[in-house]
Amino acid sequence: EVRVMESGGGPVQTGGSLRLSCTASGFSFADSGLYWYRQAPGNECELVSRTNSGDNTYYADSVKGRFTISRDNAKNTVYLTMNNLKPEDTAKYYCAVEAYGLGSDLTLICGVLDAWDQGTLVTVSS
């Protein structure tokens, strides 16, 4: 059974930093693509960042240069380090793994992860 648990969210002021962690089990972590999504109230689900088994990475334009995704395969953990946070980064952040088989339909992904009781809330105050 695939298990995923996020942590590290919370309130932060504009310009501050947070590091989200996602620890997973139940699949071959080192071989897996890993994803961070977010959704703010009233907004669409957004793919924030992803990394694959070859450590290739993707970042949404809105976070490039501020967020960094990294993985520790020995700890089965993926991180999202967020610097220079802005109020528009306020959202619920979700970790997903390739083993979920969620595909790429953003109209579904955040809703499914939320229904699975995943996510950690990040609130950036101005």
Side-chain angles (χ1 to χ4, degrees), residues 63-81:
V63 307
K64 278 181 183 176
R66 301 187 298 122
F67 290 14
T68 302
I69 191 169
S70 59
R71 63 194 297 163
D72 185 337
N73 291 334
K75 296 182 178 180
N76 279 17
T77 300
V78 59
Y79 304 98
L80 186 68
T81 302

Side-chain angles (χ1 to χ4, degrees), residues 44-102:
E44 295 180 346
C45 184
E46 178 184 20
L47 174 60
V48 176
S49 183
R50 67 170 181 250
T51 181
N52 64 15
S53 58
D55 279 337
N56 295 308
T57 58
Y58 160 87
Y59 296 96
D61 287 343
S62 57
V63 307
K64 278 181 183 176
R66 301 187 298 122
F67 290 14
T68 302
I69 191 169
S70 59
R71 63 194 297 163
D72 185 337
N73 291 334
K75 296 182 178 180
N76 279 17
T77 300
V78 59
Y79 304 98
L80 186 68
T81 302
M82 307 184 293
N83 296 320
N84 191 21
L85 282 160
K86 305 175 181 180
E88 51 264 43
D89 295 317
T90 294
K92 195 168 185 181
Y93 285 72
Y94 303 91
C95 172
V97 300
E98 189 174 351
Y100 276 163
L102 291 176

Side-chain angles (χ1 to χ4, degrees), residues 6-67:
E6 305 103 330
S7 63
V12 63
Q13 292 189 329
T14 296
S17 298
L18 283 175
R19 188 177 78 161
L20 306 183
S21 300
C22 170
T23 301
S25 62
F27 60 99
S28 178
F29 187 89
D31 296 327
S32 178
L34 306 166
Y35 311 83
W36 285 100
Y37 296 90
R38 70 183 179 185
Q39 188 167 30
N43 286 10
E44 295 180 346
C45 184
E46 178 184 20
L47 174 60
V48 176
S49 183
R50 67 170 181 250
T51 181
N52 64 15
S53 58
D55 279 337
N56 295 308
T57 58
Y58 160 87
Y59 296 96
D61 287 343
S62 57
V63 307
K64 278 181 183 176
R66 301 187 298 122
F67 290 14

